[in-house]
Amino acid sequence: MINKIILKIILGILSYKYFQYIKQNKTMNKVALAEEINKVLNTSKAEAERVVEALFDSIIHALKKGEEVSVAGFGKFSIKDRKARDARNPKTGETVKVPASKAVKFSVAKALKEAVK
């Protein structure tokens, strides 16, 4: 597992670079994230890719355990329980039962909102 301090540093770097991508109307993906980590940390490309994978794996692992993942200045990931409900098939009009489920919720931090204005 990645040390929490290293995780915060990496997310801070990535959020700054992500803001720059948003302002340029570009899409940032895992490869672009790994390239930015590679530039900042002066590591190999393979090491930077492992860092990105470890970052996402850590977030997923925490969410699976029911924990929240909060990154100051970026946002908070959490799990939201959805109740079972009845819905209507728009094509046939038939009522169908939608089972209970869990969904990932992301709450944007104020700093992130301000940065992308």
Side-chain angles (χ1 to χ4, degrees):
M1 287 285 163
I2 295 180
N3 183 317
K4 287 184 179 182
I5 295 172
I6 294 172
L7 179 65
K8 286 183 179 183
I9 292 169
I10 292 169
L11 283 171
I13 292 166
L14 296 179
S15 61
Y16 173 75
K17 291 296 182 178
Y18 186 69
F19 298 149
Q20 291 177 333
Y21 268 76
I22 290 172
K23 289 179 180 178
Q24 297 171 3
N25 293 324
K26 294 183 180 180
T27 301
M28 180 175 264
N29 56 25
K30 280 186 177 183
V31 173
L33 290 172
E35 288 172 1
E36 293 301 328
I37 289 173
N38 184 17
K39 289 177 192 175
V40 173
L41 299 180
N42 293 322
T43 63
S44 68
K45 184 177 177 182
E47 182 67 23
E49 288 172 356
R50 283 194 296 273
V51 169
V52 171
E53 286 299 322
L55 172 69
F56 289 122
D57 288 346
S58 297
I59 292 170
I60 292 167
H61 182 70
L63 291 172
K64 281 184 177 180
K65 292 190 320 185
E67 298 174 356
E68 288 184 349
V69 178
S70 181
V71 181
F74 188 72
K76 178 174 67 173
F77 295 92
S78 59
I79 296 294
K80 180 179 180 181
D81 291 321
R82 293 188 175 165
K83 297 178 182 179
R85 61 186 174 87
D86 290 334
R88 190 163 308 277
N89 181 335
K91 191 172 186 179
T92 63
E94 178 184 358
T95 300
V96 292
K97 294 202 180 279
V98 178
S101 64
K102 293 183 179 190
V104 176
K105 178 181 174 187
F106 180 73
S107 301
V108 180
K110 183 178 179 181
L112 178 57
K113 285 180 190 176
E114 294 296 321
V116 296
K117 279 188 176 180

